[in-house]
Structure formats: structure tokens, C-alpha cells
Amino acid sequence: MISVIIAGAGSGSRSKLDKNKLLFASDGQTVIETTVRAFLPVDEVGQIIVTASVRDQKEFAAILCPLSDKIKVVLGGDTRTRSVKNALEFISGDITLIHDGARPKVSISLIERVIEKARANGSAIPVLPSTDTLGVGVGRIESVGRENIYRIQTPQAFRTDLIKKAYSFVADGDSFTDDSGVYCKYIGPCEIVDGDRENVKLTYPEDFGKFPFAIGTGFDLHQLVEGRKLILGGVEIPHHKGLLGHSDADVLTHAVMDALLSSVGERDIGYHFPDTDPRYKGADSIKLLREVMSIVASHGKKPVSVTAVIMAEKPKLMKFVPQITQNLAKELGLPEKDVGITCTTLEGLGIIGEERAIAVRCNLLVTDK
Ligand code: MG
């Protein structure tokens, strides 16, 4: 009889989801259910032990136990190694397969491959040749090339007596990233079978079809009057008129700030920096932008691409664009190529065309920090 252990007790913190990634549903079914279902059609499989954290144990059991009476959900430990060690106590088959809960695309042919090889040789580890050259080190690396270097997958199959023996040597503090590590250390080198490129481990947000970007949009307009400075993106532009406002009236920086705030679902700059507050009289908008950037950071986000169009009849802004771009790129923590500033006139039409106002529209993308 074949026993299967499915490791599901990890937190999945790299996936940046707000719950265990294995409980994330795609196509109406959780990842853990898809993974467990993959083993059910294999006749020889007589037992499936799924490890879960205290937080998820009940939910796992509610999803999985109705699928088959072969399935049991047990409590894992603080590490994958502890979890598998706990699960091994429940195992009664002569061959044990150990599989990552986050590899739902495991195929029946791969399952059969590892079973057959482990029966004959004691162990079977699915591997893929590394297509990347690998390096090892901390800070500085030494190249280990890619010849005879493999990426290791699961399910990993072992004769149950051998993997139990290997785990009996594991001390409380020991932590291995997988079971081949435990087997190699305490029993010997593992036999390999061809892995499967489809059999990926879901790890990062994009693996879950979660689009890791959010869009922001901002618009602002200020009156153009005599006797004020004209400041755009923190750059003072020589002109006989300037923009009217409670702060320095930097219309470009204001539109960028509103775009940033909207991208993380925050209220607008009028809410955060009210024009009734004397603290913001004549305020340098670039300083306010720095505050907005820290609000965005508090949401775990950072801008990745910013575009703005400045609508102004006069002055001609073209020659100031590089300086404005450089200034905003620095404040936004972006390379200049990711800050796109364009300028347009309004053909003499309307309040902008009549040089009574300047307006800016800004669009941007933020992503996870
Ligand atoms: Mg404004």
C-alpha cells in the first residue's frame, strides 16, 4: 500500500495572500483540494495524511475529509521538517510519498514514476536539470555551473522504513527544505526520476493569478495669476504668472499625490492636507509628496510607473521637462525612464487655452514593495 503525506502547514508568506495560500481558490477549488485530488485516482494509494497548522486544521478537514475516507488531516509543526516527522507517525504503507501542498499540478504519470522507482531502489526524487547557472555564497558567490545540477521537486517517494529511520535521527532544531535532504544526510544519495515542468510550486502572488499591480489616477487644476511663482514638479519655472493656491500650488505634484493616494485606496490630498490648516500655507508640495510616499509605503506598495500630462498654453515647458522628470523620479524612487511627463496646449481654447489655468492629469501604477 502507498501512503502519501501532503505538507500543508506552512504560512505561505511569500505569496502575500491574506491567508494560507493553499486555501486560495482558483477555478472554484482550493489549491489544497486540487493537490489532494491528484492522488485519489492512483489505486495503490491507501492513505493520505495532510499536515495543517492549528489555524487551518478545521478548514482543511472540512474541505478534504468528504473527498475520501483515506484522507486524514493532522497537526503539523513549526517547520516543514517537524510537520513531516509528525505525519510519519500515522503512516502504514510500505512506500511513502511526500508532496508539497502547493504543487497542485502533479500528474498521475509522475506519481507512478516515483512509486515504481522507490519500490525498486528505496527512494525516488523527481528532478529537472537546471537551465540557469547557479551560484552559492552569501553576498559574494562562487559559480557551481549547471552541469549535473538539478532542481528538486515533489512528490518524493521512499521506502517507509528508510524515511522513518532517516527522520528518527532528526533533532528538534534541525530544519530541512525537503525530505530528500533528510534522506541524503542520514541514509544516502537519492535515486532520481524525470520531474515535470508543469509541476510548479505556487509561491509568489503571480502564481495565484493575483495581479500584483494597482492603478492610481490624479487630476488637478490651479488658476494662473500675476504675482505668484510657477512651480511644477518642484521646479521653479520663470514666467510672469504663477499658480494660485493655499500651498505653493504645484499642480503637477498635487496630481501625482492624488494618483498615489488613490492607488492604495486612501482619501485625496484635500483630506490629508486640508487648505484650512495654516500648517500647509505656502507649503512646499514636494515635502507633502514625501508624506504621501510614506502613506503608500505603509500599505506595502511602491510606484513602478508614473505618467502625467501638463496642460498649459504658456509658458513653453519643453525645456524644463528633463529637470521636472529628474526631480519627480528622485522623490518617487524611480529611474527617470519610468517617469513620463508630457505637455500639451489646448489650442487657445477654454480656461487653459486662455492662460487662466494650468491642469495636470496623472496616471500611475504601484506594486508590492
Ligand atoms: Mg492642487
Side-chain angles (χ1 to χ4, degrees):
M1 196 247 296
I2 304 293
S3 295
V4 179
I5 294 173
I6 293 180
S11 68
S13 54
R14 281 173 296 178
S15 64
K16 298 193 175 181
L17 299 169
D18 47 12
K19 59 183 177 187
N20 185 339
K21 63 184 177 182
L22 302 183
L23 288 168
F24 189 77
S26 75
D27 299 330
Q29 185 169 290
T30 59
V31 173
I32 190 67
E33 180 174 346
T34 309
T35 304
V36 169
R37 276 181 182 275
F39 289 85
L40 290 176
V42 182
D43 286 340
E44 290 179 279
V45 170
Q47 181 186 34
I48 301 177
I49 304 292
V50 182
T51 67
S53 64
V54 180
R55 188 187 61 175
D56 299 329
Q57 193 180 11
K58 266 194 187 153
E59 199 169 347
F60 272 28
I63 294 166
L64 302 174
C65 293
L67 302 179
S68 163
D69 53 12
K70 295 175 183 172
I71 299 167
K72 188 178 172 76
V73 178
V74 304
L75 207 53
D78 337 331
T79 63
R80 189 185 190 287
T81 308
R82 286 272 357 147
S83 294
V84 172
K85 194 169 180 176
N86 290 353
L88 279 169
E89 290 174 19
F90 297 88
I91 294 302
S92 52
D94 55 329
I95 298 286
T96 299
L97 269 52
I98 307 177
H99 186 59
D100 297 325
R103 290 186 195 267
K105 293 182 182 167
V106 57
S107 66
I108 292 192
S109 65
L110 179 57
I111 294 169
E112 289 174 345
R113 250 187 339 266
V114 295
I115 290 172
E116 193 186 330
K117 184 87 169 191
R119 274 236 160 89
N121 298 284
S123 63
I125 309 300
V127 297
L128 292 173
S130 180
T131 50
D132 294 322
T133 298
L134 300 183
V136 64
V138 180
R140 300 165 70 212
I141 57 158
E142 287 184 58
S143 172
V144 292
R146 64 181 188 205
E147 196 106 335
N148 300 322
I149 302 280
Y150 297 99
R151 287 157 50 208
I152 295 179
Q153 300 186 323
T154 69
Q156 301 178 358
F158 308 93
R159 246 174 55 200
T160 300
D161 58 327
L162 294 176
I163 193 68
K164 280 190 173 175
K165 184 175 170 194
Y167 266 91
S168 72
F169 294 117
V170 169
D172 269 356
D174 284 353
S175 186
F176 295 82
T177 53
D178 75 352
D179 310 288
S180 69
V182 179
Y183 189 93
C184 289
K185 181 162 181 189
Y186 295 114
I187 306 293
C190 294
E191 298 289 328
I192 58 174
V193 299
D194 288 339
D196 181 353
R197 279 196 297 167
E198 294 276 296
N199 179 31
V200 292
K201 185 173 181 181
L202 306 182
T203 306
Y204 298 104
E206 50 274 28
D207 298 335
F208 294 84
K210 186 184 171 219
F211 189 62
F213 297 100
I215 196 166
T217 188
F219 177 82
D220 197 21
L221 178 148
H222 282 259
Q223 271 189 68
L224 200 53
V225 297
E226 299 282 349
R228 289 272 301 182
K229 284 181 178 173
L230 175 57
I231 297 169
L232 293 171
V235 176
E236 192 174 331
I237 314 281
H239 192 48
H240 65 97
K241 285 179 175 178
L243 295 173
L244 187 62
H246 182 68
S247 66
D248 63 2
D250 182 341
V251 63
L252 170 57
T253 302
H254 292 184
V256 171
M257 286 194 281
D258 267 347
L260 284 167
L261 289 166
S262 68
S263 74
V264 293
E266 281 277 349
R267 302 280 297 274
D268 57 32
I269 50 173
Y271 177 87
H272 286 279
F273 313 110
D275 63 7
T276 49
D277 189 330
R279 272 185 305 163
Y280 303 121
K281 187 162 169 52
D284 175 353
S285 296
I286 291 291
K287 287 190 179 148
L288 303 182
L289 173 60
R290 288 176 194 153
E291 287 187 43
V292 167
M293 283 294 284
S294 66
I295 293 171
V296 171
S298 74
H299 287 264
K301 299 284 182 187
K302 63 173 185 187
V304 278
S305 176
V306 178
T307 63
V309 53
I310 306 171
M311 292 163 255
E313 203 66 24
K314 273 185 189 157
K316 284 272 171 257
L317 294 169
M318 200 183 292
K319 69 177 182 198
F320 301 102
V321 167
Q323 205 186 335
I324 291 171
T325 305
Q326 190 182 39
N327 218 30
L328 285 178
K330 188 180 84 181
E331 296 299 332
L332 295 165
L334 286 174
E336 286 173 36
K337 71 175 177 52
D338 295 328
V339 178
I341 306 292
T342 56
C343 306
T344 187
T345 68
L346 266 69
E347 300 281 318
L349 297 171
I351 51 172
I352 292 169
E354 290 160 9
E355 296 172 52
R356 290 160 51 206
I358 291 178
V360 174
R361 165 73 178 265
C362 175
N363 292 312
L364 56 78
L365 277 182
V366 294
T367 192
D368 296 330
K369 262 169 93 74

